[in-house]
Amino acid sequence: MPDVAAEARRRRTFAIISHPDAGKTTLTEKLLLFGGAIQMAGSVKGRKAARHATSDWMKLEQERGISVTSSVMQFPYGDHIVNLLDTPGHADFGEDTYRVLTAVDSALMVIDVAKGVEERTIKLMEVCRMRDTPIMTFINKLDREGKDPIELLDEVETVLGIQCAPVTWPIGMGKRLKGVVHLVSGEVHLYEQGRNFTRQDSTIFASIDDPQLEARIGAQMLSELRDELELVQGASHSFDLDEYRAGRQTPVFFGSAVNNFGVQPLLDFFVRHAPSPQSRETTGRVVAADEPRLSGFVFKIQANMDPQHRDRVAFMRVCSGRFEAGMKAFHVRTGKEMKLANALTFMASDREIAAEAYPGDVIGIHNHGTISIGDTFTEGEQFTFTGIPNFAPELFRRARLRDPLKLKQLQKGLEQLSEEGATQFFRPLMSNDLILGAVGVLQFDVAAYRLKAEYGVDAIFEPVGVSTTRWIRCDSEKKLEEFREKNAMNLGLDAAGELVYLAPSRVNLQLAQERWPDVRFDATREAA
Ligand code: G4P
């Protein structure tokens, strides 16, 4: 009998958060290298290129220099199984990123040593804070000149409001970079240039008192280092597992991803201390990871991964129990049993058919539109995982066809793209308009591009008189009916058929709210 508890305990599921260009892709590549998943560096970029070849619309990503897809990579490290969930890089895709962060147990924050805390990092950090996600920090590009390490920690503490506990400390920086000291083990890892792209077996001394260290880094540097360490250890916090797990303290590492330096101490510390899958809240009860029965939720849908097959893959995070290929699971929202045939796992080398999966793992389920973001699967129990919201979009456009005969395709395209969650699709009750809502303006370009490439529809998006939307809820059928009648002009349905108030202005929304105190106007739709 497979031991679900033991399998859950050895899983580490996390995402990397960073400002674009801080080195997320490079670090991902190195982590995969340690996992033995790839032989050569450049493979993540290679994978990107291969995906571009199969999926045409991703050309847009390439042209814009953004990444709009997120993927899942799984690799073994020691006795552990690590799941790395990639978050989309561009600021416009915040909602998608948000949902990826609901599916992880911890995060790794990458900061550029020269740039310090940047705007996107601040935003992502806010998201992590909503769930008290534990965060480790990697300060990257140490081979370049950057800010003073002590000032950087100060910046992280004041700007991000999280206590720093340095675990490695740099010896020099830029041209003077000599290595890092491990403040917990006392070891000194020397930096050797040109060792990138292989597993780094750097020279390691047991402590800074090793007589050979002076010969390697020089008497002056050693004496400076001693002074600095004294200062750091006196002024900063030491690592506290409980504080880290509570999201109040971040262990900090220094290194250079491109040179594969300082990455291994990070990874070793990560698998040792980062949380394994934890219990999760549902509408019914709290579900513990080590329960024997399968449960999980869908946090992402990707359409047309393979345009030839028009498939849609729902990414499900396993929260408890064991998934086995071909098993049937209960789709709570529709109340139907569903056979999870041909589910995919995401071993870093490739997408593969999943034989089994455990808490913390992500499986990809092929489907034709029956599965939505936020859906829960169980082995029969009626509960839904909470905290995976759809946000009310902030920008709206009406889709207009250049060829009116393609209305059906347009509708289908908009519906399917909305299933992925980056955009939302609304149909007013009183008109034939097709309205797309998005959080960022770039998403309209992406939608237009994909409609053309994947559905053969030439559409443009033009302004429409909607400024915000709210999902409508009401406990009284009668009141709801009355509200519907009186406000039909401003009501519509979202892609899932839920009633939505399409407010022409904020003032209008406010008035409607005041006039209808029994009606709830919700800014997020927790997939019901
Ligand atoms: P991102 O995914 O966070 O956007 O960043 P990415 O890894 O793509 O890295 C951004 C740039 O920073 C890349 O350079 C990358 O090579 C460089 N970089 C990453 N880690 C380090 C490091 O430790 N030291 C130095 N000096 N540079 C680093 P690029 O010129 O944009 O791309 P490429 O020409 O290397 O492909």
Side-chain angles (χ1 to χ4, degrees):
M1 224 11 225
D3 184 348
V4 172
E7 289 295 336
R9 258 197 317 274
R10 69 191 191 109
R11 286 330 196 247
R12 298 288 179 272
T13 301
F14 77 112
I16 301 183
I17 58 174
S18 67
H19 194 83
D21 264 353
K24 186 180 72 174
T25 312
T26 313
L27 184 62
T28 301
E29 217 166 82
K30 303 305 174 189
L31 292 173
L32 295 180
L33 193 64
F34 281 111
I38 51 172
Q39 301 308 315
M40 279 181 321
S43 296
V44 173
K45 283 186 180 155
R47 274 165 51 88
K48 267 190 197 166
R51 278 198 258 126
H52 286 307
T54 53
S55 185
D56 205 54
W57 69 270
M58 289 181 191
K59 272 189 210 135
L60 184 72
E61 281 186 23
Q62 232 169 9
E63 285 160 15
R64 300 283 181 108
I66 54 166
S67 166
V68 282
T69 46
S70 45
S71 53
V72 179
M73 286 156 271
Q74 184 184 65
F75 60 93
Y77 186 68
D79 292 335
H80 295 93
I81 303 285
V82 180
N83 290 303
L84 170 52
L85 277 51
D86 193 16
T87 51
H90 196 275
D92 263 9
F93 295 85
E95 204 184 322
D96 209 8
T97 305
Y98 181 94
R99 282 191 292 252
V100 171
L101 291 175
T102 63
V104 299
D105 302 306
S106 72
L108 173 61
M109 170 163 75
V110 181
I111 290 176
D112 184 322
V113 69
K115 294 186 178 149
V117 176
E118 294 176 87
E119 162 257 324
R120 177 111 173 104
T121 318
I122 299 174
K123 274 201 183 147
L124 288 163
M125 182 74 189
E126 279 168 15
V127 174
C128 288
R129 183 148 287 140
M130 291 161 99
R131 302 177 62 242
D132 297 326
T133 308
I135 296 169
M136 291 198 185
T137 300
F138 184 73
I139 298 192
N140 189 28
K141 309 198 185 180
L142 212 60
D143 58 317
R144 287 200 191 150
E145 294 305 327
K147 298 188 182 186
D148 175 72
I150 293 180
E151 277 170 29
L152 263 174
L153 297 198
D154 204 40
E155 187 176 324
V156 171
E157 296 209 335
T158 48
V159 179
L160 299 178
I162 189 167
Q163 208 179 68
C164 290
V167 177
T168 63
W169 194 258
I171 311 173
M173 190 187 286
K175 287 202 180 67
R176 291 179 71 231
L177 175 64
K178 294 286 190 258
V180 292
V181 184
H182 200 294
L183 300 180
V184 178
S185 70
E187 283 178 352
V188 179
H189 294 235
L190 284 194
Y191 171 65
E192 288 151 302
Q193 240 178 336
R195 278 297 198 95
N196 51 337
F197 304 159
T198 57
R199 199 180 158 112
Q200 177 98 8
D201 325 288
S202 79
T203 309
I204 299 174
F205 294 111
S207 88
I208 59 166
D209 299 322
D210 190 304
Q212 287 183 50
L213 182 61
E214 186 172 327
R216 293 292 288 268
I217 72 172
Q220 198 196 339
M221 195 136 191
L222 185 58
S223 131
E224 277 173 27
L225 176 65
R226 284 184 197 283
D227 291 347
E228 197 171 69
L229 287 182
E230 207 166 297
L231 186 73
V232 171
Q233 275 162 336
S236 72
H237 308 274
S238 47
F239 174 66
D240 180 323
L241 184 63
D242 291 335
E243 287 296 292
Y244 157 66
R245 290 277 180 89
R248 289 191 293 264
Q249 185 193 70
T250 179
V252 181
F253 297 80
F254 289 83
S256 166
V258 81
N259 292 295
N260 201 10
F261 183 71
V263 178
Q264 189 160 13
L266 167 73
L267 185 54
D268 287 339
F269 196 88
F270 172 79
V271 293
R272 184 146 175 226
H273 297 294
S276 57
Q278 304 290 299
S279 304
R280 286 186 175 249
E281 303 263 348
T282 75
T283 49
R285 60 184 183 89
V286 172
V287 173
D290 58 5
E291 292 180 17
R293 283 148 80 89
L294 176 78
S295 72
F297 66 87
V298 174
F299 63 94
K300 175 186 161 62
I301 305 245
Q302 198 164 314
N304 305 340
M305 276 170 103
D306 178 354
Q308 308 239 290
H309 292 103
R310 267 287 132 88
D311 63 342
R312 264 162 281 169
V313 175
F315 290 67
M316 176 173 102
R317 143 98 197 205
V318 177
C319 296
S320 69
R322 174 171 181 266
F323 160 83
E324 200 185 306
M327 78 185 280
K328 281 194 179 136
F330 179 64
H331 186 216
V332 177
R333 186 171 51 82
T334 55
K336 289 194 181 128
E337 284 250 301
M338 235 172 121
K339 191 163 182 200
L340 305 181
N342 303 327
L344 300 165
T345 45
F346 300 91
M347 286 300 283
S349 48
D350 209 347
R351 293 204 273 159
E352 288 173 2
I353 302 298
E356 53 176 18
Y358 290 96
D361 292 344
V362 173
I363 57 171
I365 308 166
H366 287 282
N367 77 106
H368 297 286
T370 29
I371 305 177
S372 310
I373 286 173
D375 283 2
T376 292
F377 283 92
T378 68
E379 285 191 39
E381 247 186 292
Q382 293 270 4
F383 59 70
T384 302
F385 286 95
T386 53
I388 313 121
N390 268 306
F391 293 96
E394 283 154 23
L395 297 163
F396 300 87
R397 301 267 194 279
R398 180 194 349 240
R400 191 162 64 79
L401 275 173
R402 288 190 218 260
D403 173 1
L405 294 177
K406 295 263 172 109
L407 186 63
K408 254 200 160 140
Q409 284 95 320
L410 173 66
Q411 200 160 326
K412 189 165 152 212
L414 289 175
E415 250 164 42
Q416 295 192 354
L417 294 183
S418 293
E419 276 169 25
E420 292 178 30
T423 54
Q424 288 177 33
F425 168 54
F426 302 98
R427 271 165 307 172
L429 298 182
M430 306 294 281
S431 77
N432 292 324
D433 282 349
L434 300 174
I435 295 173
L436 199 65
V439 180
V441 75
L442 184 63
Q443 285 164 347
F444 296 111
D445 293 356
V446 173
Y449 188 95
R450 291 187 60 182
L451 283 170
K452 185 139 195 217
E454 292 165 24
Y455 300 89
V457 177
D458 205 353
I460 51 173
F461 289 97
E462 55 187 27
V464 64
V466 176
S467 90
T468 185
T469 55
R470 290 292 182 273
W471 281 278
I472 294 299
R473 303 264 188 286
C474 185
D475 293 332
S476 150
E477 276 293 322
K478 203 166 143 253
K479 276 259 155 33
L480 184 62
E481 206 35 58
E482 196 185 327
F483 177 77
R484 249 180 112 108
E485 257 171 46
K486 295 263 164 59
N487 294 278
M489 282 303 290
N490 290 328
L491 288 172
L493 299 177
D494 72 3
E498 300 256 340
L499 192 64
V500 177
Y501 189 79
L502 305 166
S505 69
R506 297 260 163 193
V507 176
N508 169 286
L509 174 66
Q510 208 178 334
L511 288 175
Q513 280 168 318
E514 282 165 15
R515 226 167 268 156
W516 299 89
D518 299 324
V519 172
R520 265 174 41 218
F521 293 74
D522 290 345
T524 59
R525 174 175 75 97
E526 284 229 351

